[in-house]
Amino acid sequence: MSVPATFDDILVAIQPHPKKRVAVAVAQDDAVLQAVARAEKENVAHCVLVGDQDKIRAAADAASADISAADIVHEGDTHKAALKAVTLVSSGDCHIAMKGKLHTDDFLRAILNKETGLRTGRLLSHVFILEVPPPSSASSPRRLIFVTDGAMNIAPNFEEKAQICVNAIGLARLFGIEAPKVAALAGVELVNPKMQATQDAAVLALMSYRGQFEVGMVEGPLAMDLAVSEEAAHIKGVKNPVAGKAEILLVPSLEAGNILVKGYSHLAGGRTAGLVLGAKAPIVLTSRSDTAESKFFSIACAVYAADMAAVKVKIGKVRG
Ligand code: COD
């Protein structure tokens, strides 16, 4: 299987597959509706827009978004609209859930609803997908890298970090990376007893050496420069198989990942997408301030990931 290097590769790869149905929760948002219109036009997905129908139509007009191909399910109340959209997925009517104009935590609570949500019994986690250019000194092409978890698990404990790794490895494998390289990020590359992130990263790496992750390789602690720059690794004399070549960046907290990715998109103009993994179906989760393009790429990535089979890890050993 080839590895998509850009979001455009993803768009090409999904074309032969049957069209997936996306249930959008509280859809009355300009950028969401522009993404929906593009998804319909480019044959990426069919969308079911759950929300206030008058506001949806007004927002689409204001944003010049042609949503005539999408279905609308009227629900004026935000909380009920979120539950209804998620229920469309848990009932099997739609394949993917997408956050619209509501707060992330309210959307996630609908996802986690015990009766109608998309729980599987394992941890759900968020992955940002970044399309990154090669370093200026390298001849390597653009590529997609994964940053997790910058949007759902606020301050994951060690066991949660292990499961976040597993979820991201599963996604990276779906994206064609057979043995994903994970950098467990921290502020430094040495274990510092005063820095919890370095200790967690070191133990994750040890788990990896001992084969507790069925596939992939976790190394850490690694600072950001060492994870993504072979030149930095060379200068600092750090030699390991992940240094400079990380495909997954495991961040120590939501804040770290969120700031990293929003810095990339808002300061550097980087192209990003965002998904929640570990649920019964892929979930599109972007920030309300993300561009229509980012929301569209997120839909495309969710479609691509729709048949994702998660990789299992023996994290039971963590507890002995
Ligand atoms: N995976 C699976 N189950 C979970 C998860 C998870 N990641 N998080 C909570 N649960 C389950 C718990 O086991 C419990 O059964 C129930 O949900 C409630 O758990 P609480 O009380 O710990 O969770 P909540 O409802 O207070 O918060 C869960 C959120 C996901 C809403 C919360 O963690 C959150 O607000 N995350 C950050 C969202 C955010 O603001 N992101 C900003 C990005 S732009």
Side-chain angles (χ1 to χ4, degrees), residues 36-56:
V36 163
R38 190 170 164 195
E40 294 282 0
K41 187 174 170 216
E42 297 188 21
N43 210 31
V44 165
H46 176 66
C47 298
V48 180
L49 310 175
V50 185
D52 186 305
Q53 59 186 0
D54 293 337
K55 289 183 183 167
I56 290 174

Side-chain angles (χ1 to χ4, degrees), residues 1-7 10 127 129 144-146 168-178 180 273 275 277 297-298 300-306 308:
M1 179 186 174
S2 66
V3 179
T6 63
F7 290 123
I10 299 277
V127 174
I129 305 167
L144 298 177
I145 63 169
F146 306 87
I169 287 171
L171 184 70
R173 278 172 59 82
L174 190 75
F175 276 57
I177 303 171
E178 284 294 312
L275 303 181
L277 311 173
F297 289 148
S298 302
C301 287
V303 168
Y304 189 67
M308 180 182 83

Side-chain angles (χ1 to χ4, degrees), residues 71-212:
D71 295 325
I72 298 180
V73 175
H74 176 70
E75 176 50 71
D77 178 78
T78 295
H79 182 62
K80 288 184 186 159
L83 288 175
K84 194 170 271 188
V86 171
T87 305
L88 283 172
V89 181
S90 57
S91 66
D93 195 31
C94 290
H95 306 94
I96 292 162
M98 176 174 181
K99 171 180 167 278
K101 194 173 186 174
L102 75 168
H103 287 284
T104 299
D105 54 346
D106 291 335
F107 177 65
L108 288 174
R109 286 198 182 95
I111 296 286
L112 291 169
N113 183 287
K114 284 195 171 119
E115 282 80 44
T116 56
L118 296 170
R119 286 171 180 247
T120 53
R122 63 191 172 112
L123 190 83
L124 274 60
S125 56
H126 184 273
V127 174
F128 281 111
I129 305 167
L130 279 57
E131 186 183 289
V132 296
S136 54
S137 60
S139 56
S140 56
R142 296 179 86 80
R143 64 187 183 117
L144 298 177
I145 63 169
F146 306 87
V147 177
T148 188
D149 178 339
M152 184 164 188
N153 292 283
I154 297 171
N157 62 26
F158 178 77
E159 187 177 356
E160 289 165 341
K161 286 181 183 176
Q163 187 61 50
I164 290 168
C165 266
V166 172
N167 288 352
I169 287 171
L171 184 70
R173 278 172 59 82
L174 190 75
F175 276 57
I177 303 171
E178 284 294 312
K181 294 186 269 306
V182 184
L185 293 182
V188 291
E189 66 275 16
L190 298 177
V191 176
N192 182 329
K194 291 182 180 156
M195 296 167 119
Q196 186 62 44
T198 66
Q199 297 171 50
D200 289 350
V203 182
L204 286 168
L206 189 60
M207 280 176 72
S208 181
Y209 296 149
R210 298 206 169 158
Q212 286 181 264

Side-chain angles (χ1 to χ4, degrees), residues 247-279:
E247 287 137 344
I248 297 170
L249 304 176
L250 175 75
V251 295
S253 68
L254 183 147
E255 281 95 346
N258 206 277
I259 293 167
L260 189 167
V261 175
K262 286 186 178 160
Y264 182 63
S265 57
H266 290 273
L267 293 175
R271 306 211 295 182
T272 66
L275 303 181
V276 170
L277 311 173

Side-chain angles (χ1 to χ4, degrees), residues 143 179-185 205 208-209 216-230 233 238-250:
R143 64 187 183 117
K181 294 186 269 306
V182 184
L185 293 182
S208 181
Y209 296 149
M217 179 184 297
V218 184
E219 266 293 351
L222 285 172
M224 179 69 186
D225 53 346
L226 295 173
V228 297
S229 163
E230 290 188 63
V238 172
K239 287 187 192 138
N240 69 57
V242 173
K245 297 191 181 74
E247 287 137 344
I248 297 170
L249 304 176
L250 175 75

